[in-house]
Amino acid sequence: MIELLPSRLPALARWFPGGSPGVAALPEHVIATGRGRWWADRAVDPRAVAVSSGDHVLLRGDPDAMTPDALAPFARSYVEAPARFLPVLGGGFQRIDPWERMVYVHQGPALAARPAPGVTVRRLTPKDTAAVVALGPGAAWIHRTWGGPEQLASSGLCRGAFHRGRALSLACTYFLGSRYEDVAALVDPGHRRQHLALACVTALCQAA
């Protein structure tokens, strides 16, 4: 697979229909934010295409147009693709672990956020970059689809639970679609079972 410059993208409608929930919103996220990469088997009239952001990759098209070696850029990624891609994926990687991702579509009105006493749930700003970094490398996955802690904190699409300036939990738009926003949440391991992530998700849904 070769990487495509944004100015050289093929028509995307037939490859990635818009308005879909879950990880299917990834292509729209990359278009809207510029935080991702586009790939194809060839620059002109591609037969297979891919789009990646963070740890996630979507494959579409004809798997026969791809060689196992062409999948090397997607090692250690979550790959979403039709079943017909399994043979080429199996040839490209020594191990494939199936991953079932449940998608829940929020349709009712959001309840009021109820943080614990002393905890404030609010939107992140660029000044909160250090607080996101302080969550440690284990939390890095949540800001990879935005390009890093500063970009996530500046996005306006992240809510955090704070206590004395320290971020205890985050919930953010993980993939920004035209109709749906895929939401991700995390909580500091030392503050689980306090409903902090739920409070952050609720605040994010209220804003959306």
Side-chain angles (χ1 to χ4, degrees):
M1 300 288 278
I2 59 173
E3 186 172 357
L4 300 176
L5 296 174
S7 61
R8 298 291 301 275
L9 294 181
L12 298 173
R14 72 183 183 96
W15 299 104
F16 304 106
S20 300
V23 72
L26 186 155
E28 293 182 308
H29 175 83
V30 176
I31 292 172
T33 68
R35 304 299 179 182
R37 304 166 75 180
W38 300 92
W39 313 78
D41 65 307
R42 58 192 184 191
V44 179
D45 295 327
R47 297 161 296 172
V49 298
V51 57
S52 62
S53 183
D55 299 329
H56 296 266
V57 180
L58 267 65
L59 295 177
R60 294 294 186 268
D62 181 5
D64 292 334
M66 305 173 63
T67 64
D69 290 343
L71 297 170
F74 312 135
R76 301 182 181 277
S77 297
Y78 296 101
V79 179
E80 196 278 336
R84 62 180 180 271
F85 279 88
L86 281 174
V88 69
L89 288 168
F93 304 113
Q94 294 182 345
R95 177 177 172 177
I96 298 177
D97 294 320
W99 181 51
E100 193 170 284
R101 192 175 195 264
M102 303 293 289
V103 177
Y104 294 88
V105 178
H106 183 77
Q107 296 177 321
L111 300 175
R114 299 183 183 278
V119 174
T120 300
V121 175
R122 60 171 176 79
R123 184 177 67 178
L124 270 67
T125 72
K127 294 180 180 179
D128 296 310
T129 299
V132 177
V133 173
L135 287 167
W141 64 270
I142 201 168
H143 51 67
R144 286 194 184 116
T145 59
W146 286 97
E150 181 178 3
Q151 291 83 353
L152 176 62
S154 303
S155 69
L157 297 172
C158 185
R159 299 298 184 273
F162 289 84
H163 181 254
R164 296 181 178 177
R166 180 187 175 195
L168 306 180
S169 181
L170 298 178
C172 71
T173 297
Y174 198 59
F175 297 125
L176 178 62
S178 60
R179 183 178 180 186
Y180 295 99
E181 296 183 22
D182 191 56
V183 173
L186 65 79
V187 64
D188 180 80
H191 293 82
R192 291 174 178 165
R193 302 184 183 277
Q194 298 179 22
H195 306 291
L196 297 177
L198 177 60
C200 292
V201 170
T202 298
L204 186 66
C205 289
Q206 284 180 306

